[in-house]
Amino acid sequence: MLKNKKALAMSVLCAIASVGFVVSASAAEQAMHGNLDEVVVEGSADVLPGGNVRTTAKLGVLGDKSVMDIPYSEMSMTAKAVETYGDPSQPLANVLMNNPSIRTSTTSPMYTDFSMRGINMNGNHMMLNGVPSLFYQFTTPPSHVIDRIDITSGPNAGVNGVSMSNNGTNGGATPAPGTINVVTKRATDTPVNRYTQTFSGRGNAGEFIDVGRRFGENNEWGIRVNAEYMEGGLALPGAEKNEKNIFINMDHRGDNNTTNLFAGYFDLRVNGGQRWFSLPGSYSSTVLPDAPDSKNNYDFNGTTKYVHGYLATLNHEHKLDDTWSYFANMGYSRRSGNKDNQGASIKFDEHGKFVGNQFNQQNEEGKNAYVQLGLKGKLETGAVKHDLALSVDRSWARYWNKSKSYKPNGQEILGNLYDGIIFPDNYVLQNFGDGTPQWEETNIGLTIADTISYGKASMLLAASRKHENFESFTGKSFKNDNILPTYGLTYKPVENMAFYYGHTESFSRGLVVSGSDYTNNGETMDPVKSKQNEFGVKYQNAGMMTTLSYFDIDEANRYDINSSDPAHPKTKVDDGKNRYKGVELTVNGKLADKWTATGGLLYLDAEREKTQNGAKDGWFVNGVSKWSGVLGLEYKPDDSWGIVGRAVWNDSAYIESGSSSGKTEIPSYVTFDMGVNYKTKINTVPVKLSAMCYNVADKDYWMGRGSSTTIGLSMPRTFMLSAQFDI
């Protein structure tokens, strides 16, 4: 009861602080200037009223298309949405979950994981300016460089070319649920001189510089520079995020060609923030222990995750005539870093006591390269129109790693969920050298796509032929060829309504189990085909866009189970498929003159099928809730200020365990965020002041992780303040 009263009191204080912030800003502005001068903001015709979502998005090799013409669920978030709901000290998934198909599975910046329609994803699955595989489980594009995020929750595997199949903890599964493409900021016709300060958590301070200029005849050349310096403590005591980076975007737009070059350097370190847990094989309870206080710290002195490196993308398109053009997309990234933590997750028993945990050290390095060349054009055969594209691409990656899991000083890592971790005293971190080569992968693909339009109907036909060569330097290697078909049909009875159907197929790559902690280290698992079907309806009217869809997805069911061998505590298993069937409702735009909404609802029925001897056919999929939803609202009484609120709901889920029922429940939870933003002027300088409070009620809760037996723990209430100056 006392805890609930405290939560209510803090919620009221958040609201009072938000209102006080607005009143103070208003009073200061009136004292300086009286009435505000009109501020002209550069807009775009393809952005829905309210400014959070665009009406166009990238359709793979076919380029940008109207969302109404894309035969699957598509949501393109704007930079405004990222600024309104995001905190640069938190994972990007904190913004992505405004899409109802996406649920975050971690609140710690030590990871980037989230799920899309129940399937786990992370930074590996993000594209940057149409280029895949430049990020990984610890990194995503930093929020301050983002102009838009195209989120495809639908069957589009055959239109995007080839990507790397390695994706961190997914063990090489190529996910079927969709893709996320981030487009970086370009210079606008209006010069940009922007300086932003943020303050978050217990002392995390960030500074951001954004400068943009166009020059030359008809402003044909542009340059945009974005830089960040951040350091300091998070809302979790003892955890901190330190980040510095600089990125430059140069572009040219001529009469017959466009070119964009994006390049930069990044350096990211997260000290502390361990938030992942798991259950031992002996776990016998059907429920989890109560979620501990989110302020509890489970790190030893020296827990860290660090990466630094650089990346670049190049996009070019040249018109050959009025109907045909060729294009090129290229990218490169190189990173290196290390981590020292209590393994990927901390095990606890039914009483919350830590059992069987080991210390982990890892040094790693990776580099990825990508090139795509293509030709696209438009043809007409009578009343039938064709939008064609043909491309070839090559994706290459190499990975170095040296890691070691062991008991520090030969002792167990003790403690419990409620009192914290007990790490052996007087332990000195070892220095065991740089990583050694682990694997190399080369993918070569050929993609062909055609959108055939006739009257009110259009059909998408696409296929990608992928040749994969995976060479493991520590175990077995393999090659495989597969074809990824995609097709879809769209019918628009009226211009603002579309009925659609889409289908795609994709493959997980063959997996070589790697790691001394596996009983089946070196075992090879064959590639598994996955299919996805979706049909739905889209409707756009009076400033709102709504999508209602039904989908059916399957994927390989690969996961770790606990073994009885202390020297090899895990076994990787490949047991049939997971099947995801669901209904998704997405709503974006203006509800009324002063109200903007974003979010939706997801129903997801996830079960296993084709398991060994049918033993687990019909079982739940680990960590997947049947129901979930999100609703973000912004109220703007006038052009100067706005009040923001967001509610996120996740129904209960289950993970496999040693209990009498074979499962343990993850309880449902609801969280609330709220904030305020205010536009004013200091002398002649436009200023935007913002305040946000995440997890307003300071709720402690467990989070499921799509198709995984690990669980996440919430972060405590987090305050964030920012001031943006357009100099």
Side-chain angles (χ1 to χ4, degrees):
M1 179 66 71
L2 180 60
K3 185 176 180 180
N4 291 336
K5 289 181 178 179
K6 286 182 178 179
L8 178 60
M10 288 307 299
S11 300
V12 174
L13 287 175
C14 282
I16 293 173
S18 298
V19 174
F21 185 87
V22 173
V23 172
S24 299
S26 178
E29 187 277 330
Q30 290 178 7
M32 287 186 291
H33 293 290
N35 295 327
L36 275 174
D37 294 332
E38 182 182 4
V39 178
V40 178
V41 179
E42 186 173 26
S44 175
D46 64 354
V47 176
L48 282 174
N52 288 330
V53 175
R54 293 167 57 97
T55 59
T56 59
K58 184 176 176 63
L59 181 58
V61 294
L62 293 168
D64 287 356
K65 301 291 180 183
S66 168
V67 170
M68 300 295 289
D69 295 329
I70 296 176
Y72 32 78
S73 299
E74 186 79 43
M75 178 178 175
S76 182
M77 290 185 182
T78 63
K80 177 184 180 294
V82 175
E83 290 181 3
T84 300
Y85 292 96
D87 174 356
S89 72
Q90 299 184 47
L92 187 59
N94 194 48
V95 177
L96 296 177
M97 67 181 179
N98 278 9
N99 184 303
S101 71
I102 293 177
R103 293 277 68 84
T104 182
S105 53
T106 178
T107 52
S108 168
M110 187 173 275
Y111 313 97
T112 65
D113 291 60
F114 56 92
S115 66
M116 178 182 285
R117 293 180 171 176
I119 298 177
N120 190 51
M121 300 173 69
N122 54 51
N124 287 278
H125 306 111
M126 294 187 180
M127 305 173 76
L128 184 68
N129 295 325
V131 176
S133 308
L134 299 182
F135 300 95
Y136 78 124
Q137 192 186 13
F138 184 35
T139 60
T140 59
S143 60
H144 67 102
V145 307
I146 296 175
D147 181 64
R148 77 175 203 245
I149 309 175
D150 295 337
I151 302 173
T152 303
S153 309
N156 69 334
V159 298
N160 287 304
V162 299
S163 60
M164 304 316 300
S165 58
N166 182 74
N167 47 47
T169 55
N170 282 28
T174 301
T179 56
I180 294 177
N181 179 51
V182 170
V183 179
T184 56
K185 292 177 179 177
R186 273 76 163 161
T188 59
D189 288 328
T190 301
V192 175
N193 294 294
R194 180 168 295 163
Y195 171 71
T196 304
Q197 286 186 325
T198 63
F199 181 86
S200 180
R202 293 173 174 263
N204 183 275
E207 295 183 279
F208 303 84
I209 295 173
D210 183 359
V211 178
R213 289 290 187 279
R214 299 210 71 86
F215 51 92
E217 186 176 356
N218 298 319
N219 279 343
E220 61 180 328
W221 292 94
I223 185 169
R224 189 86 174 250
V225 179
N226 285 274
E228 171 189 7
Y229 186 89
M230 173 189 291
E231 64 177 15
L234 304 175
L236 174 65
E240 61 181 24
K241 180 180 181 180
N242 302 323
E243 185 171 20
K244 50 183 178 287
N245 55 58
I246 182 168
F247 295 96
I248 300 175
N249 197 104
M250 299 181 63
D251 75 280
H252 175 263
R253 55 190 192 196
D255 293 335
N256 297 313
N257 60 79
T258 58
T259 304
N260 191 84
L261 173 64
F262 177 80
Y265 171 81
F266 57 91
D267 185 291
L268 171 63
R269 181 182 293 276
V270 176
N271 296 323
Q274 184 89 359
R275 298 278 96 179
W276 269 354
F277 298 84
S278 59
L279 309 178
S282 59
Y283 192 89
S284 60
S285 177
T286 59
V287 297
L288 291 173
D290 290 340
D293 189 335
S294 296
K295 296 184 181 67
N296 284 359
N297 189 304
Y298 302 101
D299 305 303
F300 64 91
N301 291 332
T303 296
T304 189
K305 209 169 185 182
Y306 173 65
V307 66
H308 67 98
Y310 49 89
L311 60 84
T313 64
L314 176 65
N315 310 99
H316 177 76
E317 184 171 343
H318 188 95
K319 286 185 177 180
L320 298 173
D321 54 31
D322 291 338
T323 58
W324 289 94
S325 62
Y326 68 82
F327 60 90
N329 298 302
M330 305 176 189
Y332 181 82
S333 71
R334 180 152 190 164
R335 69 177 194 274
S336 61
N338 67 281
K339 67 177 179 180
D340 303 309
N341 65 355
Q342 302 88 286
S345 62
I346 304 174
K347 293 185 179 67
F348 60 82
D349 65 16
E350 51 267 32
H351 305 293
K353 180 182 176 182
F354 296 149
V355 293
N357 292 293
Q358 298 191 79
F359 178 62
N360 175 260
Q361 283 188 265
Q362 181 178 22
N363 292 332
E364 64 175 353
E365 182 178 348
K367 57 182 177 180
N368 292 62
Y370 178 84
V371 60
Q372 180 184 57
L373 302 174
L375 181 70
K376 63 181 181 179
K378 299 180 184 296
L379 292 176
E380 293 187 15
T381 54
V384 179
K385 299 178 181 178
H386 296 263
D387 193 352
L388 293 160
L390 174 68
S391 73
V392 293
D393 55 353
R394 183 182 189 272
S395 188
W396 173 86
R398 189 165 186 170
Y399 180 69
W400 295 257
N401 178 60
K402 180 173 283 188
S403 61
K404 186 177 182 181
S405 296
Y406 54 94
K407 297 178 181 179
N409 291 345
Q411 301 176 41
E412 291 279 356
I413 298 175
L414 303 176
N416 60 67
L417 290 172
Y418 307 104
D419 299 322
I421 196 165
I422 301 175
F423 198 78
D425 293 332
N426 305 317
Y427 182 73
V428 179
L429 296 180
Q430 300 178 13
N431 182 2
F432 53 90
D434 296 333
T436 57
Q438 300 295 304
W439 55 260
E440 182 175 280
E441 181 177 352
T442 302
N443 295 325
I444 300 174
L446 172 66
T447 300
I448 185 169
D450 184 11
T451 299
I452 306 167
S453 302
Y454 178 77
K456 297 180 178 181
S458 63
M459 177 179 289
L460 170 65
L461 298 174
S464 181
R465 174 66 181 265
K466 177 180 177 180
H467 173 74
E468 180 180 46
N469 185 351
F470 181 89
E471 181 181 358
S472 173
F473 302 133
T474 59
K476 299 178 182 179
S477 303
F478 53 82
K479 298 180 181 180
N480 65 72
D481 290 278
N482 50 65
I483 296 177
L484 311 180
T486 293
Y487 53 84
L489 178 66
T490 302
Y491 177 72
K492 298 168 68 175
V494 291
E495 190 60 31
N496 63 338
M497 176 180 284
F499 296 90
Y500 69 90
Y501 166 74
H503 171 88
T504 197
E505 297 176 14
S506 58
F507 282 82
S508 66
R509 72 161 163 85
L511 171 66
V512 177
V513 179
S514 177
S516 59
D517 50 349
Y518 283 100
T519 59
N520 55 340
N521 183 30
E523 180 182 337
T524 300
M525 296 179 175
D526 294 332
V528 178
K529 179 188 288 188
S530 297
K531 296 180 180 180
Q532 181 174 4
N533 292 282
E534 177 180 340
F535 62 86
V537 58
K538 302 177 184 180
Y539 182 66
Q540 182 178 346
N541 188 40
M544 291 289 296
M545 179 177 289
T546 303
T547 302
L548 178 64
S549 63
Y550 170 82
F551 58 87
D552 185 346
I553 313 169
D554 63 38
E555 66 152 358
N557 181 27
R558 289 174 174 164
Y559 57 97
D560 294 340
I561 61 174
N562 296 305
S563 77
S564 58
D565 183 354
H568 309 285
K570 297 186 294 184
T571 302
K572 179 75 72 176
V573 297
D574 194 348
D575 190 17
K577 288 189 174 185
N578 296 328
R579 184 83 173 269
Y580 306 84
K581 295 182 287 186
V583 178
E584 180 180 311
L585 174 68
T586 303
V587 178
N588 288 288
K590 278 209 168 184
L591 287 173
D593 182 47
K594 298 179 179 181
W595 290 90
T596 300
T598 182
L601 190 66
L602 177 67
Y603 170 75
L604 185 55
D605 181 18
E607 295 183 349
R608 306 181 207 183
E609 61 180 27
K610 299 180 181 179
T611 60
Q612 294 180 17
N613 300 319
K616 294 184 178 179
D617 286 1
W619 274 46
F620 59 91
V621 175
N622 286 308
V624 179
S625 301
K626 277 192 178 293
W627 289 94
S628 61
V630 58
L631 178 62
L633 291 174
E634 183 178 16
Y635 174 67
K636 292 183 68 65
D638 56 42
D639 291 337
S640 299
W641 65 285
I643 299 173
V644 179
R646 181 174 63 177
V648 179
W649 166 53
N650 250 34
D651 195 10
S652 59
Y654 295 92
I655 51 177
E656 199 166 348
S657 70
S659 72
S660 57
S661 64
K663 63 182 180 181
T664 295
E665 182 181 8
I666 305 171
S668 63
Y669 65 87
V670 180
T671 63
F672 299 96
D673 309 320
M674 64 179 298
V676 64
N677 54 74
Y678 187 80
K679 294 179 181 178
T680 182
K681 278 189 175 182
I682 298 178
N683 293 325
T684 59
V685 177
V687 179
K688 181 180 179 181
L689 305 172
S690 301
M692 281 291 289
C693 182
Y694 301 93
N695 192 9
V696 170
D698 200 23
K699 184 175 181 60
D700 306 321
Y701 57 95
W702 296 112
M703 293 174 290
R705 183 165 170 253
S707 56
S708 172
T709 55
T710 58
I711 51 177
L713 176 64
S714 57
M715 290 282 271
R717 179 191 300 113
T718 300
F719 292 95
M720 193 273 289
L721 303 173
S722 74
Q724 185 181 94
F725 304 86
D726 286 314
I727 302 170

